[in-house]
Amino acid sequence: MSTIPDLATLHALGAAQQPSYPDRAAVDSAVQRLRTAPPLVFAGECDELKDKIAQVARGQAFLLQGGDCAETFAGVTADNVRNKLRVLLQMAVVLTYAASVPVVKVGRIAGQYAKPRSSDLETRDGVTLPAYRGDAVNGYDFTPEARIPDPQRLVDVYNSSAATLNLVRAFVTGGYADLRQVHTWNTDFVRESPVGQQYEAMANEIERALTFMQAIGADPDEFHRVDFHSSHEALVLEYEHAMTRIDSRTNSPYDVSGHFVWIGERTRQLDGAHVELMSRIRNPIGVKLGPSTSPDDALALAAKLNPDNEPGRLTFITRFGAGKIRDGLPTLVEKVTAAGLEVAWVCDPMHGNTFEASSGYKTRRFGDVIDEVQGFFDVHRSLGTWPGGLHVELTGDDVTECVGGGEDLLEMDLGNRYESVCDPRLNRVQSLELAFLVAEMLRQA
Ligand code: PEP
Ligand code: MN
């Protein structure tokens, strides 16, 4: 059994990207409240997900991880949760059917409320305030009051995550995600758009296959529910520490705020607090690896985070950028593979491809996203390793945040419906287009 250092010990290691709370007593009281709150997930569910990610690491399954860059408390509505789940289910069906590979489904959902920022401050029209760090920390409004970190928000994260997860669990077990609903997910949608029609055609084939299977005696209950998991970046130490509990079955610590948690590109310091805390829990975990990652960095992270080389425990989520992946990824994969490490390799084609449009909106080009994923597949194919999955920022709504794609969104369209409070997300059409393109890459992998 491993133990968990106390919060003060963790902070003493150095923790990047933490809120500076003005009121310590308020922090203690929020943490105390969280420590007694029931777990959001069961440790046994985390183990099941770990087994599935082990299949990803072995090249037998594909991981689809997606959702908002930053969830918001105001975004916890039935429509919002359903739309996000629906686009992920549609993408998963496309990948499963078109590529004949089991898909492990993980949402950036029910906990993705805290954001690392490249600058501590934000300036607008000559006024400078603390940066927005996600609803977990402070308010998005550009006022001095809103931007003060408030620890009570951590309790709101817990409550919002609980409400979201409750609805997600209802949807995935209660019939909404039934494979026989494969058409229904599309009814309000893009029948008129090329990707909507492509999906309709595939849904027809799936329906015929299901009818056939039922006719030969398959149990329809098999199609009724899907496994779906929650994930978020483990960023605010107070929250993740308070939600870490000893599992009574195994006597081991789990972070029960989500099934899968990851360490961000800005908080993966080997001797820092985030790596230390994540090294102690037994959940499946991820680490984001940007273009500055050396093979030795990756090996040292693996040694610390997964000393027993347990398959499914560690996922490396690479986010190099379309222009860098073909040069940067091969040595990393080669060295990690040569060391005999069993990790799952997942591509985040979003965070290395962000730029600011002339209008000031942060955006990404759909073409760059595809190019990075293609580079990821090419590198893995040439090394004989498995391109294990996709980590994307997306929404089920028709937002205008990323340019390009089949609808050919232009920079001048960005203002029409830009709703993200942080990074730009693929909209529903772009997400589905991505799924069809990746299915094609997978078929050839
Ligand atoms: C994110 O996933 O939203 C994020 C901030 O990513 P990264 O740590 O890779 O920059
Ligand atoms: Mn992001």
Side-chain angles (χ1 to χ4, degrees), residues 128-158:
T128 299
L129 292 175
Y132 170 65
R133 291 185 167 276
D135 275 13
V137 175
N138 56 4
Y140 184 67
D141 285 352
F142 195 70
T143 63
E145 304 74 43
R147 293 295 171 95
I148 298 171
D150 177 359
Q152 176 58 35
R153 286 175 168 274
L154 299 177
V155 178
D156 299 338
V157 168
Y158 173 85

Side-chain angles (χ1 to χ4, degrees), residues 69 108 115 351 364 393 423:
C69 177
R108 281 176 67 115
K115 297 313 299 173
H351 288 90
R364 290 158 175 156
E393 291 183 343
D423 290 338

Side-chain angles (χ1 to χ4, degrees), residues 15 26-27 36 40 61 99-100 158 186 193 231-232 235 246 263 271 279 306 323-324 412 421 443:
V27 176
T36 57
L40 292 172
S100 305
Y158 173 85
N186 211 39
S193 85
S231 75
H232 63 270
L235 185 67
I246 303 298
I263 306 172
D271 299 319
S279 76
N306 192 18
K324 296 187 173 160
M412 67 182 198
V421 293
R443 245 199 300 247

